[in-house]
Amino acid sequence: KAAAEGDETALRKIRHKFKGSSLNIGANHLAELVGQVAPGGSLEKVEVELAAVRGALAALAAPPGGA
């Protein structure tokens, strides 16, 4: 919402938190993409990478053998 509305202050705070959280879990590419989001900019690449990260985390959290 902050990116779409061009709210630079809110976007800066959100980017900082999201980027730090992404780096904490080793999602370096996601952190890089988040850092590139400009006010009024597209979030498409971030959304695609976030889906990939979620999938990877779900796979790691799944019990061995898929049971």
Side-chain angles (χ1 to χ4, degrees), residues 13-63:
K13 289 178 184 178
I14 292 167
R15 261 195 326 236
H16 179 75
K17 289 179 183 180
F18 198 171
K19 189 175 174 182
S21 296
S22 298
L23 290 170
N24 284 338
I25 63 168
N28 297 348
H29 188 233
L30 179 58
E32 180 182 333
L33 291 173
V34 168
Q36 295 172 2
V37 174
S42 172
L43 296 175
E44 185 177 345
K45 290 180 182 179
V46 171
E47 290 169 349
V48 169
E49 185 66 14
L50 180 57
V53 169
R54 284 181 174 156
L57 291 173
L60 288 172

